[in-house]
Amino acid sequence: MQHRLRDVTVLLARLVVGVTFVLHAYQKFVLNGMSGVGAGFEQMGIPLPTAAAWFTALVELLGGLALILGVLMPVAGVLLAAVMLGALVTAHLGSGFFSTDGGFEYVLVLAATSLALGFSGTKYTLQGLFQNRDAAQRQETVDA
């Protein structure tokens, strides 16, 4: 029972964090527009602001979807954490800890959570489903 509850809570966390990243990507692509995001990155002094804006938005979108679906989770976790640490250093570090003051609290939590979820295992994931299917097919071949 405890393992099932853990697996369900990890699934819930993956869905919440994944949707959060997808919505942040939506904000960049649709609400602010990539030119607006690039201009904001330029004002913050981020090198290659247009490329950085696209990289950030794509990592948030694809990494969020990867967490939701449960595919390539270690890669997604590392890339999402890297983007959040980049935001911490470039936009939030000078404002202290608390997010209410523009601080790094929120992006730090997202970075740590992304890493933890990226390495949380394959229960209730597409990756786990495919691994279990492949294992069952191999077993059928051995049994035949």
Side-chain angles (χ1 to χ4, degrees), residues 11 14-15 63-74 76 117 121-130:
L11 171 63
R14 280 191 7 247
L15 294 175
L65 289 173
L67 288 181
I68 291 166
L69 297 173
V71 294
L72 301 171
M73 292 191 330
L117 292 173
T122 59
K123 189 72 169 177
Y124 302 130
T125 65
L126 284 180
Q127 183 177 334
L129 177 68
F130 291 130

Side-chain angles (χ1 to χ4, degrees), residues 23-84:
L23 290 175
H24 275 264
Y26 173 81
Q27 182 183 38
K28 286 175 179 62
F29 283 122
V30 177
L31 300 180
N32 298 338
M34 293 309 295
S35 60
V37 175
F41 280 18
E42 186 173 25
Q43 286 178 344
M44 288 185 266
I46 296 173
L48 303 169
T50 301
W54 278 96
F55 178 78
T56 300
L58 287 171
V59 167
E60 288 175 345
L61 176 64
L62 298 176
L65 289 173
L67 288 181
I68 291 166
L69 297 173
V71 294
L72 301 171
M73 292 191 330
V75 173
V78 168
L79 288 174
L80 289 167
V83 165
M84 291 299 97

